[in-house]
Amino acid sequence: MKIILNNNIVVIPNGFTVRQLIEHIGYLKSVAVLINGKQLLSAQYKEYQLKENDNVRIIRILGGG
Amino acid sequence: MDFPDAKILEIDLTSGSILKKTLSSEIYRLYPGGSALGLYLMMQDYIPGTDALDPGNILVFSVSPLTGLPISGISRINVTARSPLTGTAGDSQSGGFIGSYLKMNGWDAVVFKGKSPIPVYLLIDGDHIELKSATHLWGNVTGEVETMIHQELGNSNFEVAQIGPAGENLVRFACIINKCSRANGRNGMGAVMGSKNLKAVVVAKRKGMEPYDSEKFTELSKSVKSRLEENTTVAGLGQFGTDGDLEGINDVGFLPTRNWTSGHYPEGASNITGTKMYETILKNRDTCFSCAVRCKRVVEVPNMVDPLYGGPEYETAAAFGSYCEIPSLEYISLANQLCNMYGLDTISCGATIAFAMECYENGIIDEETTEGIKLQFGNVEAIPAIIKKIAEREGIGNILAEGSYRAAQKLGKDAIRMSISVKGQELPAHMPQFKPAVGLIYAVNPFGADHQSSEHDPFLMMPPDSRERIRLAKIGISKGYMDTTTMDDDKVRFAFESQKFFSILDTLCLCQFVWGPAWELYGPDDIVNLCKYGIGWETSIYELMQIGERRINMMRYFNAIEGYTKSDDVLPERIFHPLRGGPTDGVILDRESHEQSKEFYYELAGWDKDNGNPTESTMRKLSLHWLL
């Protein structure tokens, strides 16, 4: 199925969770996730299943050091 | 258990006298180590108006009551003096092992006064304290000196914190190096050592310290394993080093590039990131005393870069890489090595060279001035040549050794526009246009622009149930944001409260990658437990935050005595001008919003709205009446 990820159309398997998507794109550190403009809680990442045409924004948290 | 007394060594380098003193627990608890203790001790005898490089400047090495306990992230050693780079109260921390061994030898701080008639180093071996001649060491680079000292003392069971030729030559951004790869980098503390003819502080290795509550302390210490497993941010720091995020920062368009004229470095970013380092030149991951994170890089490039000198941090990769448009990890690693050999702060050195490159390309300096070095952006060969000239104060290096701000004043024309500094200290590689709260702290921080003095804006974008937000809420920061760039009253509070928290870390000599208010391995509650289980100190977040605030105000008060006001809290003009190229083309930091945030910050801090300095009531509130 198609979703919009950070303004790009991408194809992912049906039933893909947010956690699986984060791992798929290789963001290993802390991220914030917005689905259709609404922010998810961290606890939702593992279970939340993406739907066709979801507009997903995954934000890498870039800190200090 | 009672709060401990502090054991202080006071060394008069002019006369060679060595005094052993005790600071009472009642006072020590107000200034419990590190930067706060350093400031307290410095301000006992500091005479206002003393130049940073005058023998009258007072230099303090300090650790904390917690230092030496067997737990991750507890290795830091602090150095305090008036800074020759900024003229303000100066302050710098380093990891490694020497801080832990200083404490294990029984000492909380070493105060240096005066100037030795000949080069010397201080040997600390328990109660045996000795000033030894360093005339034979003077002029040698750090790797050679460490070997010579070990040979002289008969074995390698000594940690060495030393200056290189840059400190001897009073380069204003000279640092202090230990283990040939760890630096008290910022604020030019190495030049202060050089001005005192103090080549090194050498500390014997000793056995570790026993915690007050061994069972609970061990539980806290051993939890590092599970914390590392579930904390991908810190685990990533261990695997890829601090440089692991460089490409991500470039992707969003906020990697300072070409002396901060752009936030995007498409030609080079992927070549200089921590993942590339991991795949190519990384030889080993090194660590500090008792630390499981192992974030330190050790790199090797045959016939070019010696692993003895460690490897580049993110700041180093950015300062020599994107600032100077050098797309080569090999040359960045060589620059890192040269800085560690000569004893130069990599941030100020890289940034000052980027400044010189822009001056060169704009005709402010020419090839005659550089003695044949083509100082264009991207010229990899120019970097090692200029670093050596700076360290030796040779030719153009003598001007650049003053730092970009003073160099700009000497060069004239519009060179000052090209010095990206606050209070004379060059900006680290985090852009205020992306992180306006960090930008606010760059401006108001007592010792110039610093990225390790407060938490960074992006963590407020994490969801409310995240580790980061739950911890920040415990220091009173509960509002989240959907972007990094918004600046409002709550963001100013975030900047100030997290600055106080980071000020605790620099006082207790804790590593900011392991202990902190948000993403780190251990959070605010853990620090309270560390104090309790480690030394029997029954404390609270409230007491600790007040300690952090006290330190900031001591520094600010020192600056006020030296004539600093809010007019010195100014970001470089370039930050308010549009970036060029990439996804952030045209982006600026909003000047009006920034100015409003500063005004609110002064109110929150209890500082005078006209001059930005601590009011009498603020000083009294923080038990600093003795300074008035």
Side-chain angles (χ1 to χ4, degrees):
Chain A
M1 70 178 180
K2 289 179 184 171
I3 61 166
I4 301 166
L5 172 62
N6 293 347
N7 296 324
N8 296 309
I9 295 173
V10 297
V11 178
I12 58 170
N14 287 332
F16 225 40
T17 65
V18 166
R19 170 61 60 206
Q20 287 172 316
L21 181 62
I22 292 168
E23 288 170 359
H24 177 68
I25 61 177
Y27 284 6
L28 301 175
K29 295 187 182 177
S30 300
V31 293
V33 180
L34 280 76
I35 309 284
N36 304 320
K38 191 176 174 194
Q39 184 168 27
L40 293 191
L41 296 174
S42 301
Q44 294 176 285
Y45 292 5
K46 191 175 175 186
E47 306 292 340
Y48 192 98
Q49 292 192 341
L50 294 160
K51 301 178 191 66
E52 183 89 25
N53 296 323
D54 269 346
N55 189 343
V56 182
R57 208 175 141 215
I58 298 182
I59 303 156
R60 298 168 71 170
I61 304 301
L62 300 161
Chain B
M1 184 179 171
D2 293 334
F3 196 88
D5 295 335
K7 301 292 184 190
I8 314 291
L9 284 172
E10 189 176 296
I11 316 295
D12 185 334
L13 290 164
T14 306
S15 67
S17 75
I18 296 170
L19 295 177
K20 295 170 182 173
K21 293 185 167 180
T22 299
L23 185 71
S24 75
S25 61
E26 189 183 357
I27 295 176
Y28 195 21
R29 186 164 175 158
L30 292 171
Y31 316 94
S35 179
L37 178 62
L39 287 160
Y40 175 83
L41 294 170
M42 176 176 75
M43 291 169 84
Q44 297 306 302
D45 295 309
Y46 176 81
I47 298 170
T50 303
D51 187 86
L53 299 176
D54 185 274
N57 196 5
I58 293 165
L59 176 75
V60 185
F61 285 66
S62 48
V63 293
S64 89
L66 306 171
T67 308
L69 289 166
I71 194 167
S72 293
I74 203 159
S75 67
R76 312 290 285 178
I77 186 165
N78 172 82
V79 179
T80 298
R82 186 176 191 190
S83 164
L85 186 66
T86 62
T88 63
D91 168 280
S92 190
Q93 289 79 34
S94 172
F97 291 77
I98 191 166
S100 305
Y101 291 129
L102 180 64
K103 180 69 180 177
M104 291 172 196
N105 275 275
W107 303 106
D108 294 87
V110 186
V111 181
F112 292 98
K113 300 176 175 179
K115 179 180 181 179
S116 172
I118 60 163
V120 292
Y121 70 86
L122 181 73
L123 175 65
I124 299 173
D125 189 354
D127 277 335
H128 176 75
I129 316 296
E130 183 182 358
L131 280 170
K132 294 175 78 76
S133 171
T135 50
H136 58 302
L137 305 174
W138 207 252
N140 290 292
V141 299
T142 55
E144 294 167 349
V145 168
E146 186 152 313
T147 301
M148 291 165 80
I149 288 175
H150 285 159
Q151 285 174 347
E152 185 171 307
L153 298 176
N155 60 63
S156 59
N157 290 324
F158 296 88
E159 288 292 334
V160 179
Q162 59 169 312
I163 56 169
E168 297 169 11
N169 294 325
L170 310 183
V171 176
R172 288 186 186 270
F173 48 89
C175 66
I176 302 167
I177 294 278
N178 73 82
K179 294 194 84 64
C180 299
S181 58
R182 319 299 167 84
N184 293 90
R186 308 236 70 193
N187 270 196
M189 295 295 102
V192 179
M193 276 182 75
S195 74
K196 295 183 173 301
N197 268 339
L198 178 63
K199 179 69 174 172
V201 176
V202 179
V203 180
K205 295 178 183 176
R206 292 270 162 162
K207 281 188 180 173
M209 291 162 49
E210 289 296 318
Y212 170 75
D213 184 335
S214 187
E215 189 180 332
K216 286 183 174 165
F217 186 89
T218 302
E219 198 177 307
L220 187 68
S221 176
K222 285 194 170 172
S223 70
V224 72
K225 188 168 182 286
S226 58
R227 289 170 192 261
L228 265 173
E229 282 169 1
E230 65 189 33
N231 189 323
T232 52
T233 302
V234 180
L237 265 177
Q239 186 172 9
F240 298 113
T242 51
D243 195 26
D245 274 345
L246 184 141
E247 197 164 11
I249 293 170
N250 181 63
D251 288 345
V252 294
F254 290 108
L255 178 66
T257 300
R258 203 176 172 82
N259 199 28
W260 287 73
T261 52
S262 175
H264 198 46
Y265 187 34
E267 305 84 4
S270 63
N271 291 327
I272 63 172
T273 190
T275 48
K276 178 68 81 175
M277 198 187 315
Y278 183 82
E279 292 162 1
T280 56
I281 61 174
L282 186 72
K283 183 181 169 67
N284 197 6
R285 285 168 54 192
D286 204 355
T287 193
C288 298
F289 171 76
S290 197
C291 189
V293 177
R294 297 172 63 216
C295 71
K296 297 300 296 179
R297 306 292 91 178
V298 179
V299 302
E300 182 172 25
V301 183
N303 303 315
M304 189 174 179
V305 180
D306 184 341
L308 175 68
Y309 292 101
E313 301 284 348
Y314 164 70
E315 290 296 336
T316 311
F320 286 105
S322 57
Y323 288 23
C324 298
E325 293 194 320
I326 301 296
S328 159
L329 265 182
E330 288 77 10
Y331 271 89
I332 289 166
S333 299
L334 177 60
N336 181 68
Q337 171 172 312
L338 291 170
C339 285
N340 288 351
M341 288 169 71
Y342 290 117
L344 290 161
D345 172 33
T346 59
I347 299 176
S348 282
C349 190
T352 299
I353 293 173
F355 154 82
M357 286 175 158
E358 190 175 352
C359 289
Y360 183 89
E361 295 207 349
N362 284 276
I364 295 172
I365 53 179
D366 56 24
E367 212 167 318
E368 189 181 337
T369 317
T370 63
E371 295 173 287
I373 298 171
K374 291 180 170 51
L375 204 49
Q376 297 113 323
F377 286 105
N379 182 4
V380 294
E381 301 293 345
I383 298 288
I386 287 291
I387 292 173
K388 288 174 187 167
K389 281 184 177 292
I390 290 171
E392 300 291 352
R393 278 191 173 270
E394 178 190 305
I396 183 69
N398 191 38
I399 296 174
L400 300 180
E402 294 290 289
S404 65
Y405 181 75
R406 284 181 175 81
Q409 290 174 321
K410 288 188 178 178
L411 292 168
K413 300 181 183 170
D414 63 347
I416 198 71
R417 182 175 62 82
M418 301 164 195
S419 169
I420 310 304
S421 57
V422 176
K423 300 183 179 75
Q425 176 155 274
E426 290 74 15
L427 264 61
H430 299 272
M431 300 188 86
Q433 298 95 322
F434 180 45
K435 301 177 176 179
V438 172
L440 169 63
I441 298 300
Y442 280 1
V444 301
N445 189 50
F447 54 93
D450 183 56
H451 61 298
Q452 296 293 114
S453 284
S454 62
E455 193 53 275
H456 289 216
D457 306 54
F459 293 104
L460 292 174
M461 293 175 67
M462 288 296 287
D465 68 333
S466 64
R467 172 195 307 113
E468 291 84 350
R469 291 283 303 283
I470 289 169
R471 284 180 177 169
L472 285 167
K474 291 185 177 181
I475 61 167
I477 305 302
S478 54
K479 183 179 174 183
Y481 293 78
M482 287 296 103
D483 60 62
T484 67
T485 55
T486 296
M487 198 63 189
D488 58 11
D489 284 357
D490 283 299
K491 201 67 162 307
V492 177
R493 278 203 323 105
F494 161 74
F496 184 49
E497 297 300 325
S498 70
Q499 185 189 22
K500 285 192 275 184
F501 200 94
F502 276 61
S503 183
I504 302 166
L505 302 175
D506 286 344
T507 294
L508 297 180
C509 295
L510 300 176
C511 174
Q512 298 177 358
F513 296 161
V514 179
W515 303 88
W519 54 273
E520 300 82 2
L521 284 185
Y522 293 97
D525 293 341
D526 299 314
I527 296 183
V528 173
N529 287 334
L530 171 68
C531 295
K532 185 175 176 181
Y533 306 150
I535 60 169
W537 177 14
E538 297 277 357
T539 187
S540 64
I541 291 293
Y542 181 82
E543 182 186 13
L544 294 175
M545 292 289 273
Q546 199 170 55
I547 288 165
E549 187 175 4
R550 183 176 299 117
R551 164 186 171 265
I552 296 165
N553 278 273
M554 289 173 82
M555 289 182 147
R556 196 77 186 189
Y557 184 78
F558 177 99
N559 293 354
I561 291 171
E562 297 299 342
Y564 288 78
T565 66
K566 65 191 285 190
S567 66
D568 298 293
D569 297 339
V570 180
L571 289 178
E573 189 61 25
R574 181 160 291 172
I575 304 302
F576 304 104
H577 289 252
L579 293 169
R580 295 200 294 262
T584 47
D585 188 53
V587 167
I588 60 169
L589 179 68
D590 183 78
R591 191 190 301 272
E592 189 180 342
S593 167
H594 175 70
E595 292 301 326
Q596 285 173 353
S597 70
K598 272 200 295 190
E599 293 304 318
F600 184 48
Y601 175 95
Y602 297 134
E603 279 189 54
L604 281 181
W607 296 349
D608 186 278
K609 66 183 177 60
D610 292 327
N611 62 29
N613 290 327
T615 62
E616 184 176 331
S617 63
T618 299
M619 295 291 283
R620 294 167 76 94
K621 181 189 84 172
L622 294 167
S623 305
L624 293 172
H625 49 277
W626 60 274
L627 282 168
L628 297 170

